[in-house]
Structures are given as C-alpha cells and as structure tokens.
Amino acid sequence: MYDVYAEHQQQLHASNPRLRQNFANSVFCCLTVNSGPRTVTDPHADSANRPDGWCGITCCGPFDHKRGGQLVLWDLKLVIDFPPGCTIFIPSALLVHSNCPIQPGERRYSMTEYTAGGLFCWVANGFQTQEKFWENASEEEHAQWLTDRATRWERGLALFPIIP
C-alpha cells in the first residue's frame, strides 16, 4: 500500500512543482487537524477517500483513554482504546467509524492523514478530470480504462494485509 501511495504522490508532485508534501516522509496528500478542544466524531465513513486505501489517525491531548476517546469501528463491532499520542490506520472509506466522548474538563485533538480518491483518479486520468479524459482518450485508452476498472477491486484487496 505504501508503494502505491508513494508512486502516486511522486507522479502528482512531478506534474506540478508548486505542490508541497505535508511532511517529508508522508505518502498522504491530505491532512486534517481537528483542534478541539473536545474533538469527537459522529459515526461516518469517508466516502471521498480511496475505497481500498488507508487513513492515518493520530490523537493527542490530556484525556483518560480508558474513560473516553475510544475509536469505534461500527461495521466490525469493535471499540478500541486509543490513547493520546497513538496512531491507527483504517480503511476509512469502507468502515463506519467514530470516537467516544471524553470526560468533562478533558481535551482531545486529532490529526488525520489521507489521500482523497479524486486525486488518484486525477493522476490515473492523465492529470485531467474524468470528463476530459473520456473526451480526449483514444479507443485504446478507453479499452484500457475499462479493463483496469474491471480488476480494480481485486488489485485493491491484494494491498490489504493477510493475518494468518
């Protein structure tokens, strides 16, 4: 997965030298900082993110992670302790997720790194919109696009780790 994101980001930045990475060693193109002071999210899936991609979530702040702030993965029926200073990676477009409220007087912040699915499409379409790609593509490019689309889920699933 890392290699796919790194190659994508390299291509994107090569196409536009004005683009800058959020962090020198990060392969994610987007960053959201939730500055709280009591960052809590309702159940949601990030449908604009790459479906077979990862989203890195880091939380911080002075809060008791045993009494609040846990990460909830609704589809998997999991509640995960999520202490300050920890990072977790989830397929945020596929899993409905949220976090539990924290206690009165506590503070919780989060930082999320991800790459919007539209950026992957932009690169795959030759740095143009889907509409422009279809207008300008040759018959061979159309055929290749359809072939790639038919196998996209298989390639995406192959990027996920297998836990024996």
Side-chain angles (χ1 to χ4, degrees):
M1 181 77 63
Y2 179 92
D3 291 340
V4 170
Y5 274 69
E7 173 65 20
H8 167 266
Q9 189 173 74
Q10 186 278 326
Q11 291 175 15
L12 188 63
H13 285 252
S15 77
N16 185 342
R18 293 179 301 156
L19 296 175
R20 299 287 179 256
Q21 287 181 268
N22 293 316
F23 301 105
N25 294 321
S26 177
V27 295
F28 296 104
C29 293
C30 305
L31 171 71
T32 298
V33 176
N34 297 303
S35 56
R38 299 178 52 82
T39 301
V40 176
T41 61
D42 291 329
H44 69 284
D46 299 312
S47 60
N49 288 357
R50 182 178 167 138
D52 59 357
W54 293 99
C55 168
I57 306 166
T58 302
C59 72
C60 55
F63 68 94
D64 182 349
H65 70 278
K66 295 289 188 184
R67 299 182 66 207
Q70 295 88 348
L71 177 67
V72 181
L73 302 177
W74 294 89
D75 304 298
L76 302 178
K77 297 178 174 43
L78 290 174
V79 178
I80 302 168
D81 282 342
F82 196 18
C86 288
T87 299
I88 189 166
F89 291 86
I90 64 170
S92 65
L94 296 179
L95 295 177
V96 175
H97 55 284
S98 64
N99 64 289
C100 297
I102 57 175
Q103 300 299 305
E106 294 181 330
R107 295 187 310 277
R108 182 183 183 279
Y109 313 98
S110 68
M111 181 181 76
T112 306
E113 289 187 274
Y114 56 97
T115 298
L119 287 175
F120 284 96
C121 292
W122 178 261
V123 172
N125 290 333
F127 308 101
Q128 59 189 337
T129 65
Q130 186 87 27
E131 182 179 83
K132 287 290 183 192
F133 172 80
W134 281 108
E135 286 176 16
N136 301 321
S138 66
E139 285 186 34
E140 294 82 20
E141 289 170 323
H142 279 154
Q144 183 62 50
W145 189 93
L146 293 171
T147 299
D148 288 346
R149 184 176 184 196
T151 59
R152 187 180 307 150
W153 272 104
E154 293 164 353
R155 290 190 320 274
L157 284 175
L159 297 174
F160 284 90
I162 297 173
I163 302 171

